[in-house]
């Protein structure tokens, strides 16, 4: 299934729900871009992942996504991921702001606050990142946030 040696994956909004459900190690990507991701904001947090009661639990979905990153096969970085999981987020995404209520799980969405942040649904525009403390140690250093709002031309 890995016909192309180098490839990237991009998922937008609910497409990240699909990614979460089908993630496994059979498909490998150099980078994974999660754009306006409509998945729980703590999918990559250590506490959430470690709360899993078995290896097939949904709490392990973040690790399964991480395992989709292709790895270096030789040299000093052998066995380490080639790329990263990128999260393009916008705290002013009002469609994603409604998602926690629509799903009745009351958990903010990754596409609003980014990876390694505290839940700030109650205070739009205020995001506090603490990736070293929050992100699972296996994933730390292999995630990156990009604030889409900072790049919107109409906000000027």
């Amino acid at each position: 299934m890995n016909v192309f040696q180098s490839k990237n994956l991009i998922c937008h909004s609910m497409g990240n729900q699909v990614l979460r459900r089908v993630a496994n190690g059979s498909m490998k990507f150099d980078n994974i871009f999660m754009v306006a991701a409509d998945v729980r904001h703590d999918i990559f947090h250590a506490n959430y992942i470690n709360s899993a009661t078995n290896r097939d639990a949904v709490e392990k979905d973040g690790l399964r996504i991480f395992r989709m990153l292709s790895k270096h096969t030789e040299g000093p970085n052998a066995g380490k991921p080639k790329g990263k999981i990128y999260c393009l987020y916008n705290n002013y995404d009002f469609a994603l702001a409604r998602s926690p209520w629509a799903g009745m799980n009351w958990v903010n969405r990754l596409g609003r606050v980014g990876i390694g942040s505290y839940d700030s649904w109650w205070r739009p525009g205020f995001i506090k990142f603490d990736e070293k403390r929050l992100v699972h140690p296996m994933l730390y250093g292999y995630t990156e946030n990009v604030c889409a709002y900072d790049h919107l031309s109409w906000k000027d």
Side-chain angles (χ1 to χ4, degrees), residues 49-67:
I49 292 169
N50 294 337
S51 73
T53 56
N54 63 66
R55 68 184 188 128
D56 296 324
V58 296
E59 292 85 0
K60 297 279 188 180
D61 289 348
L63 285 180
R64 285 189 276 275
I65 292 169
F66 172 71
R67 290 184 181 121

Side-chain angles (χ1 to χ4, degrees), residues 90-101 109 111-112 121 124-125 149 154:
N90 178 358
N91 198 240
Y92 295 96
D93 185 326
F94 296 113
L96 282 179
R98 291 177 185 87
S99 184
W101 293 294
R109 313 324 277 166
R112 286 200 74 215
W121 64 268
Y149 186 79
W154 55 265

Side-chain angles (χ1 to χ4, degrees), residues 45 87 89 110 112-118 126-135 144-147:
H45 288 194
C87 176
Y89 72 95
L110 186 66
R112 286 200 74 215
V113 296
I115 298 170
S117 66
Y118 293 96
F126 175 77
I127 299 174
K128 182 178 179 191
F129 291 100
D130 193 354
E131 294 170 87
K132 186 151 181 83
R133 187 170 98 57
L134 296 174
V135 173
E144 188 169 323
N145 292 302
V146 177
C147 179

